[in-house]
Amino acid sequence: MNRLLAILPIALFLSACNEPRVAALGISDDEFAGLVAPVPGSIASDYSARERTVRLFGVQGEPAFATVADTTTWETWNLRVGDDLGRGLRTNTVQNEIELRDATGRTVTVARGGDVALRTITHRLDESAVYVGRATWRVSATAMQEVVALHGAGVETASRLDLFPVPATELVSVAPDGALARLGFRAGDFLFELNGQPATIDAIVERAQTAGAMTVTMYRAGAPGARTFRIE
Amino acid sequence: MNTFARRIAPGMGLLVLVSGSVALGAWSPPVKHANAGDSISQGFGANAMPWDHPSKSWAQGTDDAVFSMFERWGWWYSESFTQEPESVTGAEMVGGGDNFPAQASRICAQSPRPNRVEVLLGGNDVCNRAASSSGDAAANLYALDTWRAAIDAGLDQLSACLPDGAVVQVLSMPRVDWLYEAGHDKSWWCSGVIWPAASVCRVVTNEDDPNRRRQIGTAIDRYNDVIRDEIAAYDGDTNGRNPRKIRFATDWKGSMALGQSNTSVGTYIFGSSEINGVDCFHPNTGGQAKLACTAWATHPDGWGEVSDCLD
């Protein structure tokens, strides 16, 4: 146990150092004009782009969806026709290859057997909380303050004392633009504790707007356990 | 077993392995372990509370009741043996930001890099998919090509980055249709309350037709076949992607339909006493101990009979 405790801080430090980050770039007027999912009232400087290399792992399902991986972070996305990849590309066809299209009709084709370079575009509030792996989010306190001011927490909850050996707050519904959704929570999640105390929505929202760290223990089918938020 | 007896066996095992490795030139003594895995490898719910209990994990655990792979290497080979686990509750083999290629990338970023790597993933790849309304209950699972591409993306990185003499073991995944039966047998609370309220693996727990649950289980057999095929291709470098001859191993010898009952994790039917009472779908301490025993019995460093582990 002592050996584990000695290793832990080093491991955490190294994991933070090794977190893949792809540099954010400004977008052009053409890219701004080609956004498939612009935020109403936004301007070009509200967006940033990232250069990625992606690989088509495969296509399956009814209706068909394509599994595409970013070869730097290895995060994958399952894309069906109509799904957006960031705010700049929408999935147009899914067959043996997939075609992504922007609002001006420019297309990118991702086929099997080769890696393809493309740019993904996000709005600044899309990055108010970014998943960085290992059940950890990097949160921008200032962006989260803006999210809370615009959209609030965005949840309906119910107290559940009957399911688990500890009291839980169930997220009955989660609005996509609200603070809880940005922090990665979904409808059907059961929240147990925030930093060792019973979790409340108000406490999570307040904590997410101030630099520091918070850990939320929760149950989600398929992904139970603790979530860590590094608030910068 | 007393300390003396426990320490004799490793020496004998080590002697055999070292003498064998001189000829093969592809084995190094265990120094450090890392793993890629999901909630099973995090010991989720193993002691009846709804969160991770890594001390009770088959891979990284420190609880003697489990006698994990980490403890076995430390016990039999080196007291200075260490580990840096990378498993994440919720991870898939294919999907998301903690999938096998992502965890392999983190293993490769470790310093020092491990020379023993354990992998157990796949349950969430099945349970996170939408139920199918077609005649094939497994229609919305990842295709075998997708599954294979993710495995290869992880193994490519490990074969390139691990030190000479390293060993990577990829365990077969348990069949969720049999976990369904274990939970169903455990209590009405599991199938009648917990599973629907907490949405536990609805692709099988919400499927009333046993034949359609078997379709899901058969699809998992095919996933495990792919694991075996890819491990063989990398271990023998027949795909040209492991020129440094890193050792790759798996426990999977084939499905129960081919007569391989209780020869691997994927052919073991967990009993109701081996899963927890939290979500009735994850192994408890006893189930974790069986996983550890099976992994050790099928690992190039280990010994024993899987059938003894799974009796």
Side-chain angles (χ1 to χ4, degrees):
Chain A
M1 179 56 80
N2 289 336
R3 188 166 54 196
L4 290 176
L5 290 174
I7 291 170
L8 189 59
I10 300 170
L12 289 174
F13 171 75
L14 290 172
S15 67
C17 292
N18 293 326
E19 184 182 295
R21 291 198 196 204
V22 183
L25 309 165
I27 70 168
S28 66
D29 290 342
D30 281 351
E31 286 177 313
F32 183 61
L35 293 176
V36 295
V39 175
S42 59
I43 58 175
S45 61
D46 288 332
Y47 297 88
S48 59
R50 284 179 169 75
E51 308 269 6
R52 299 180 190 273
T53 301
V54 299
R55 180 180 302 174
L56 178 60
F57 273 0
V59 176
Q60 57 274 305
E62 298 171 352
F65 65 95
T67 304
V68 177
D70 178 324
T71 63
T72 299
T73 64
W74 291 107
E75 179 182 11
T76 64
W77 307 282
N78 289 332
L79 299 174
R80 291 180 169 79
V81 171
D83 285 348
D84 294 341
L85 184 55
R87 293 185 177 272
L89 294 168
R90 182 161 291 162
T91 309
N92 192 44
T93 61
V94 176
Q95 295 171 340
N96 283 327
E97 60 187 27
I98 65 169
E99 183 184 83
L100 304 164
R101 179 175 291 186
D102 74 6
T104 65
R106 286 184 297 249
T107 61
V108 179
T109 299
V110 184
R112 294 173 196 261
D115 295 347
V116 174
L118 55 76
R119 283 162 67 92
T120 56
I121 298 172
T122 53
H123 184 267
R124 57 190 169 74
L125 294 187
D126 296 340
E127 311 223 331
S128 53
V130 177
Y131 186 66
V132 295
R134 298 183 179 90
T136 301
W137 275 257
R138 186 177 64 242
V139 181
S140 163
T142 53
M144 192 55 65
Q145 289 165 11
E146 194 172 350
V147 167
V148 172
L150 287 170
H151 306 289
V155 291
E156 292 180 29
T157 64
S159 178
R160 295 297 296 258
L161 303 173
D162 55 339
L163 281 184
F164 300 99
V166 289
T169 297
E170 179 179 6
L171 304 187
V172 177
S173 68
V174 177
D177 290 333
L180 268 286
R182 307 270 187 182
L183 293 167
F185 294 102
R186 303 178 193 164
D189 288 349
F190 296 87
L191 311 184
F192 301 130
E193 293 183 344
L194 162 62
N195 291 344
Q197 300 297 316
T200 66
I201 302 302
D202 286 348
I204 291 172
V205 170
E206 182 181 339
R207 193 70 198 82
Q209 299 176 74
T210 310
M214 69 173 170
T215 299
V216 177
T217 56
M218 57 172 280
Y219 183 87
R220 174 187 298 166
R227 265 73 169 158
T228 299
F229 300 88
R230 297 201 314 257
I231 305 142
E232 300 168 348
Chain B
M1 192 183 295
N2 64 35
T3 302
F4 178 74
R6 292 178 82 175
R7 298 279 176 181
I8 287 291
M12 295 174 66
L14 187 60
L15 188 63
V16 171
L17 284 165
V18 169
S19 59
S21 70
V22 171
L24 293 172
W27 185 89
S28 64
V31 175
K32 178 184 174 184
H33 164 239
N35 78 319
D38 57 21
S39 51
I40 295 179
S41 299
Q42 288 292 100
F44 174 82
N47 78 343
M49 294 300 280
W51 36 71
D52 291 351
H53 303 283
S55 67
K56 297 181 182 300
S57 157
W58 69 275
Q60 59 177 301
T62 51
D63 184 332
D64 287 347
V66 174
F67 200 21
S68 70
M69 292 293 284
F70 168 66
E71 284 206 319
R72 289 170 195 255
W73 276 306
W75 187 253
W76 300 122
Y77 285 94
S78 170
E79 289 183 347
S80 61
F81 188 76
T82 188
Q83 66 174 346
E84 195 173 339
E86 295 289 358
S87 49
V88 181
T89 291
E92 293 187 10
M93 181 75 85
V94 175
D98 293 308
N99 58 7
F100 179 44
Q103 292 192 42
S105 176
R106 293 167 199 159
I107 290 169
C108 287
Q110 292 183 6
S111 180
R113 290 173 181 157
N115 70 346
R116 294 296 182 273
V117 175
E118 293 292 296
V119 181
L120 175 55
L121 284 161
N124 293 318
D125 296 75
V126 174
C127 292
N128 287 348
R129 303 284 76 77
S132 166
S133 57
S134 76
D136 179 7
N140 284 330
L141 302 190
Y142 290 124
L144 294 183
D145 283 350
T146 306
W147 177 258
R148 188 187 311 273
I151 292 172
D152 289 353
L155 296 183
D156 280 344
Q157 295 178 75
L158 296 177
S159 67
C161 83
L162 295 182
D164 290 343
V167 182
V168 177
Q169 183 185 37
V170 183
L171 291 182
S172 55
M173 60 176 286
R175 280 181 54 157
V176 296
D177 52 332
W178 291 330
L179 290 172
Y180 165 93
E181 290 176 12
H184 197 266
D185 291 346
K186 191 177 185 73
S187 165
W188 63 269
W189 175 258
C190 298
S191 55
V193 179
I194 282 284
W195 288 350
S199 299
V200 177
C201 200
R202 296 307 272 164
V203 71
V204 288
T205 63
N206 196 36
E207 178 55 71
D208 292 332
D209 184 343
N211 293 322
R212 288 175 62 80
R213 292 198 299 271
R214 286 291 168 271
Q215 289 177 336
I216 300 288
T218 301
I220 292 172
D221 286 345
R222 300 291 84 80
Y223 282 168
N224 286 330
D225 287 342
V226 171
I227 289 174
R228 177 195 55 202
D229 294 347
E230 295 312 288
I231 288 298
Y234 279 85
D235 191 51
D237 192 30
T238 57
N239 59 5
R241 294 158 88 160
N242 181 26
R244 294 171 48 240
K245 301 285 194 293
I246 300 299
R247 185 76 200 275
F248 290 89
T250 183
D251 61 329
W252 181 253
K253 297 177 176 63
S255 68
M256 281 181 67
L258 297 176
Q260 296 289 343
S261 297
N262 291 356
T263 58
S264 64
V265 172
T267 56
Y268 180 60
I269 300 179
F270 283 87
S272 58
S273 64
E274 293 164 344
I275 59 173
N276 71 40
V278 178
D279 66 356
C280 310
F281 223 75
H282 283 83
N284 59 16
T285 302
Q288 291 281 352
K290 292 207 166 186
L291 293 175
C293 183
T294 303
W296 187 252
T298 54
H299 195 282
D301 294 341
W303 51 82
E305 296 295 329
V306 176
S307 57
D308 293 339
C309 300
L310 301 179
D311 267 347

